[in-house]
Amino acid sequence: MPPSRTGWRRRGKKKVDSIGTTYLDEALADFSGYLAIDELYDGPCCVLSVVDNRRYNRLAFRVLDHKPTHNDVRVFLSAFKEQLDQRGLKVRGITTDGSPLYPKVLKKLWPDVPHQSCVLHLLMEITKAVLRVLAKLRKEMKAKIPTFKRGHPSKEQQTQARRFQRRKQHVAELFAHRHLFVKRHLSRAEQTVLKRLVRGQPQLRALREIMDEVYRLFDRRRKTATALRRLEELRERVRRFKRLARALGKLNSPNLEEALLFLDDKLLGATSNAVERSNRRYRKAQKSIYRVRTKRHREQRIALDMNREQRAAKRAQTLKTLHRARSDPVSGHC
């Protein structure tokens, strides 16, 4: 069989060579100083990416044919740091998704630069933990409900059967409205439903109050020192509920302190959405257009897409100018 040409496209090899030269010169022309770093897994390969977290410009990438290690991240970021040093550019802040691949490397390369953990990734982990606790409590409540024999209950048992039916209905409503325990902003109708669900259930009420306190930690009106003090108070409160403390171990994660650094720097990105956006762009193209499998073809496709995205604004402005000129009767292009 002849070799596959699925991943082959014209100009791909030249664009890969230009990423570190002409492309990077233009991408760093209005460098904000804030970076977002992330890794993307695609089959056996992994793509390390660096994006300007304020301008949303993709700055560098590297495709690996294996899972990334600390050494791979160090080599990749060291090469990118050399590019910044050659141009006299300084990094003011870095945002990652909380992966253990980056803290040691970033502390060695940029020791004085704040390292922010993505708030959305952290909230997602805490939300999942809260929902798991809610599911466990719901199962325990269901297990405590006695069951009757098959058939219609007797007159002596009808009052008790109705009471048990209401308890089953309450458990079912907890499942149907489980999102109310993790949703950030509740309407008046949702608050009414939530009050009915937690009535007489102190653990359920504490679960929602803990989630409210977590959301208040990331209020932009606070300072980092105030948020850290409230975090310690929240951890102390959770320890009082032994069952909740074991399940909500994410609240003791060191990433939670790192996720509060953005409160003292308005320009520091609270999330890594800039690099996640480029990852989503790659996944969509790989699923519907590319479907490339080799490391070399992945590099060429990413390089082509980066150059195409960089020129999108100029291309749109050119088309707008041409359309305006052609629609002007004085210009003679009608």
Side-chain angles (χ1 to χ4, degrees):
M1 296 289 291
S4 174
R5 296 170 63 88
T6 303
W8 181 85
R9 285 295 184 274
R10 296 177 57 186
R11 303 184 303 276
K13 185 177 181 180
K14 293 183 178 180
K15 295 303 181 183
V16 172
D17 298 335
S18 68
I19 290 296
T21 54
T22 57
Y23 172 87
L24 196 57
D25 292 335
E26 187 173 349
L28 293 175
D30 57 346
F31 181 55
S32 67
Y34 295 92
L35 300 175
I37 306 174
D38 194 18
E39 73 279 359
L40 167 67
Y41 295 93
D42 183 17
C45 294
C46 176
V47 182
L48 301 175
S49 303
V50 179
V51 180
D52 190 322
N53 209 18
R54 301 293 300 178
R55 312 296 184 195
Y56 284 69
N57 295 330
R58 287 188 280 181
L59 304 178
F61 76 95
R62 177 162 297 182
V63 180
L64 306 174
D65 55 1
H66 56 274
K67 291 184 177 180
T69 61
H70 287 87
N71 185 58
D72 295 326
V73 176
R74 180 183 58 81
V75 172
F76 170 59
L77 294 181
S78 297
F80 179 71
K81 186 176 183 296
E82 292 178 1
Q83 296 284 355
L84 296 179
D85 294 340
Q86 292 175 3
R87 295 167 174 82
L89 300 174
K90 295 183 178 181
V91 178
R92 301 178 182 178
I94 302 174
T95 305
T96 65
D97 60 352
S99 172
L101 289 171
Y102 307 108
K104 293 182 180 180
V105 178
L106 295 179
K107 189 175 182 180
K108 185 177 181 180
L109 295 178
W110 292 285
D112 300 327
V113 176
H115 175 205
Q116 166 75 24
S117 292
C118 180
V119 173
L120 292 181
H121 284 81
L122 190 62
L123 286 177
M124 180 177 62
E125 294 177 356
I126 296 177
T127 298
K128 290 181 179 179
V130 170
L131 290 177
R132 283 196 294 267
V133 173
L134 180 61
K136 185 176 181 180
L137 293 175
R138 192 176 63 246
K139 290 179 180 179
E140 292 178 356
M141 293 171 61
K142 185 177 180 180
K144 293 179 180 179
I145 302 175
T147 58
F148 288 105
K149 296 181 179 180
R150 295 183 61 182
H152 189 74
S154 61
K155 291 184 178 181
E156 295 78 7
Q157 296 177 337
Q158 286 182 1
T159 303
Q160 194 175 15
R162 286 193 295 267
R163 187 183 306 116
F164 293 161
Q165 185 62 31
R166 286 194 296 267
R167 292 172 62 180
K168 291 181 181 180
Q169 182 65 25
H170 181 256
V171 173
E173 289 182 352
L174 282 177
F175 176 77
H177 301 286
R178 61 191 182 278
H179 65 281
L180 298 181
F181 288 85
V182 295
K183 189 177 179 181
R184 187 160 194 170
H185 302 290
L186 299 178
S187 63
R188 291 186 178 181
E190 291 173 336
Q191 292 176 4
T192 303
V193 174
L194 182 63
K195 289 180 181 179
R196 188 180 74 251
L197 293 176
V198 302
R199 187 180 297 120
Q201 302 290 337
Q203 290 186 337
L204 295 180
R205 188 183 302 109
L207 202 60
R208 175 62 208 192
E209 291 174 355
I210 290 172
M211 201 66 206
D212 288 335
E213 286 297 327
V214 171
Y215 285 131
R216 292 192 191 103
L217 292 176
F218 303 102
D219 191 344
R220 276 282 189 179
R221 294 170 292 182
R222 289 183 175 178
K223 296 295 184 180
T224 301
T226 306
L228 290 175
R229 186 172 64 253
R230 295 299 297 268
L231 176 60
E232 290 301 323
E233 295 175 359
L234 176 61
R235 287 172 173 172
E236 183 63 26
R237 181 183 179 184
V238 172
R239 292 191 192 102
R240 300 173 188 173
F241 299 90
K242 296 183 179 180
R243 298 171 62 188
L244 297 181
R246 291 193 298 268
L248 298 178
K250 291 295 182 180
L251 293 176
N252 298 319
S253 173
N255 291 337
L256 196 50
E257 283 90 347
E258 295 179 354
L260 299 173
L261 297 177
F262 75 100
L263 297 175
D264 287 342
D265 189 349
K266 295 182 179 180
L267 297 179
L268 180 60
T271 67
S272 58
N273 186 50
V275 67
E276 293 290 347
R277 176 188 177 190
S278 65
N279 291 342
R280 289 191 297 269
R281 182 184 177 98
Y282 171 80
R283 289 193 187 97
K284 182 178 180 180
Q286 175 74 329
K287 182 178 180 180
S288 59
I289 303 174
Y290 296 165
R291 300 185 185 276
V292 294
R293 293 294 178 264
T294 64
K295 175 177 176 292
R296 179 170 61 90
H297 288 153
R298 285 184 172 92
E299 293 174 347
Q300 294 178 4
R301 289 308 183 84
I302 295 175
L304 280 171
D305 189 55
M306 289 173 64
N307 280 270
R308 188 181 299 113
E309 187 180 19
Q310 187 181 61
R311 287 163 174 73
K314 296 180 179 179
R315 184 166 57 249
Q317 183 62 33
T318 301
L319 292 175
K320 185 177 180 180
T321 303
L322 289 174
H323 292 164
R324 186 179 301 170
R326 290 172 180 172
S327 61
D328 187 4
V330 182
S331 63
H333 294 285
C334 296

